[in-house]
Amino acid sequence: MAEKELSAFRERWKQELTTKKEAQPSVGASSSASSSSPASRRAPDRFGRRNSARSPSRAENEACVGGGEAEEDRDQPEYVSIARSLLDGRTSPLLDRIQEERSRRKRRYDDMTNICSTSLQQQRSQSKVARRKDEELVDQLIQDLNEVNDIPFFDIELPYELALKIFQYLSCRELGRCAQNRVGSIRQLQFELGKVLCDVSSCDNFVLAGYTSGDVRLWDTLHWDSTASYLKANSLSATKDPRPHVSYVQVNSMVAAAAYEDGCVDLWSTETGGEPIHHYQIPGRIQALALSPDSPVLVSAAGPDVRLDAANDPGYWRTASQAQFPKTVESLTLVPGRAQQQPLAAVAAGEAVYLLDPGEEEPLTLHSVYGHPVTCLDASHSHVAFGVKRTGWAMHDGGNKIHIYSLETRKPMVCVGNSPGDFTCINLKDAPPHLLVCGNKDRRVRVFDLRAGSSVTSLYAHHLGVTSVQADNWKIVSGGGEGLVCVWEMRMGAKLWEMHNRHPVRHVHFNTSTLLTANIPDDKSPRGACITDDDLTAHRRHRGVICHYDFSEDALSQDHILPICRSDYTESYGYNYNISLAVPYDRLSGSHPSH
């Protein structure tokens, strides 16, 4: 019944269109006498076109139905042409017009380019080179923008000539910033059942995260469906109600470790996951946890007590060393590059820095100055670097500083920095040789040359202080307390791009093709995250976020789209900010590479 009604409607519509078209020649003939005046020639009709006198031969051709379809389409209003095309069975009537418009604008642009090149030859050679360079940058920018869109923006919606006039006011640097970062993908690593994010660690292709629910999640960025992603807690922590929060996590290419608020420490294999391969408990709350980046060695601290565990050749874990320091341990790290030697740990407690060697009876005091507490610590295979804070009567000493000691001689090598703020983070092990990058509460990121003991660059980066940094030979990545991640060019001191998320940036790590950032909340018990609240799932804005940027992928692929934009009814991403979507984003079967 419905098909018959639709067929009848189509026939009536065709008859109406044919009747109107047959009546058009008489109307054109009656108005030909008045169209000869200049005013009538300039007056536009109601469709925006100007009236013109039609010849008798053209009127005869328009009256013919069989031979005049092409001219009828050109004379018809646009909506009539679209309707007629749909009735004739063409599914995309705009494709030919888009292609024709694109070709016409390309020809016009080529003509204008030839004219511009002829006129530019008459100018001086210096201005000629500069103008040519600017035009190349503008052309590249417009080409980049056109590649991102299915229908080129500057071919259809905006004249190409107008685009050139808009961008001619931008400098070379500004054009470069507009055209940057068009290749790459971003993926948010979410674990909704984990509630609030507590700590994040990464090494190579592994990312480890701990949550307030007591869960620990491991991602392999090369194999996203790896079965080792699910790590089970020890039986002691798993049976407690409520389960203790995860305090710290650490991961390398072999093992993953997590410390809980109740003093328990678990270790898992990154290959198998599942049950812990090693477990122990320290009385009190764990204050620091460190894992060697290239060997199975773990060190943990609870109050003044430090414990160092390592795996032997058969793979069995044992306690290699235990020590007690005069003050509470604030931070510690393991010296990398000692897989074939005894492990060595650097420990900061109060105003002193110690070296813990299992082969020695007592820890070695490396540095100790009364009234100058240690604020941050890091170590490379040959040096130890730490920031000290000025206090009270020692304010005349020139400000907060960073001390660098040699691990070979155990003597101070150089002292850098003269900052009014406290140094909050140091990265020495990932920095190029002879360079050190650090962040400060005075909102600046600094790079020092350890050979000359001088500053290479100083950048005003984050208005709430710098929380994490890393650098290579030419760029710096910094994170701040306001949630901003910035990428800087070291030589020019210019910001290349930035990305913002809620909560402070507590972890940044990059290599040649990927960048990982983690925004970790300071408040671990917001409303919506407590078992006594109505909603047991933490609000998304309270959870924190882990972002994985892969610049080796093409930005035009579908994988770079955020999960909320490609979720279906069965995935948890349809649950957005504690509001169930009435109609989540549909996704047809086979429309995504994962199907």
Side-chain angles (χ1 to χ4, degrees), residues 189 195-202 207-212 246-250 467-468 479-485 500-508 516-526 540-547:
L189 308 185
K195 297 184 180 179
V196 181
L197 185 64
C198 293
D199 194 24
V200 174
S201 177
S202 64
V207 182
L208 186 67
Y211 297 87
T212 57
V246 177
S247 301
Y248 301 97
V249 294
Q250 291 286 304
T467 54
S468 55
E482 75 285 351
L484 201 63
V485 176
H500 179 267
N501 283 292
R502 193 188 299 265
H503 308 299
V505 181
R506 301 297 182 186
H507 180 81
V508 295
L516 184 82
T517 65
N519 297 73
I520 302 177
D522 291 330
D523 186 5
K524 299 299 190 293
S525 300
R540 187 179 291 267
R541 66 169 175 258
H542 296 317
R543 299 176 190 168
V545 63
I546 306 171
C547 294

Side-chain angles (χ1 to χ4, degrees), residues 100-298:
E100 182 181 355
E101 180 72 11
R102 185 178 301 171
S103 302
R104 184 180 66 84
R105 294 190 182 277
K106 189 176 186 303
R107 289 194 300 270
R108 180 183 297 180
Y109 169 70
D110 294 337
D111 295 339
M112 291 190 63
T113 304
N114 294 332
I115 296 174
C116 293
S117 61
T118 303
S119 61
L120 287 174
Q121 292 176 359
Q122 303 174 359
Q123 300 178 1
R124 295 180 302 178
S125 59
Q126 183 176 1
S127 60
K128 176 181 177 180
V129 175
R131 180 64 59 85
R132 185 179 302 152
K133 183 177 181 180
D134 290 342
E135 287 184 354
E136 291 176 357
L137 290 174
V138 171
D139 293 341
Q140 181 64 38
L141 173 60
I142 295 177
Q143 182 182 357
D144 294 344
L145 294 176
N146 288 343
E147 287 180 0
V148 177
N149 301 288
D150 295 334
I151 300 178
F153 179 78
F154 292 113
D155 284 350
I156 301 300
E157 298 184 10
L158 196 65
Y160 197 89
E161 297 80 5
L162 183 57
L164 292 176
K165 291 184 178 295
I166 292 175
F167 290 114
Q168 70 180 356
Y169 298 100
L170 299 180
S171 64
C172 295
R173 180 179 296 183
E174 291 170 338
L175 287 173
R177 290 179 179 176
C178 292
Q180 66 168 344
N181 197 25
R182 62 186 178 96
V183 177
S185 66
I186 176 175
R187 182 189 294 263
Q188 290 188 357
L189 308 185
Q190 296 278 0
F191 183 56
E192 284 77 6
L193 299 180
K195 297 184 180 179
V196 181
L197 185 64
C198 293
D199 194 24
V200 174
S201 177
S202 64
C203 180
D204 297 333
N205 55 299
F206 292 107
V207 182
L208 186 67
Y211 297 87
T212 57
S213 63
D215 294 307
V216 180
R217 182 69 187 269
L218 175 68
W219 287 275
D220 186 348
T221 58
L222 297 181
H223 307 89
W224 293 103
D225 56 348
S226 174
T227 57
S229 299
Y230 302 97
L231 306 179
K232 298 181 180 180
N234 62 85
S235 57
L236 181 62
S237 299
T239 55
K240 291 185 178 180
D241 189 19
R243 293 176 59 184
H245 295 182
V246 177
S247 301
Y248 301 97
V249 294
Q250 291 286 304
V251 66
N252 61 17
S253 60
M254 295 168 284
V255 294
Y260 300 87
E261 283 191 335
D262 59 353
C264 291
V265 178
D266 289 339
L267 281 93
W268 300 268
S269 170
T270 56
E271 295 182 0
T272 60
E275 298 290 340
I277 60 175
H278 183 56
H279 164 76
Y280 64 88
Q281 186 174 12
I282 299 178
R285 188 177 184 274
I286 295 179
Q287 301 289 339
L289 183 74
L291 183 66
S292 174
D294 49 20
S295 59
V297 180
L298 178 71

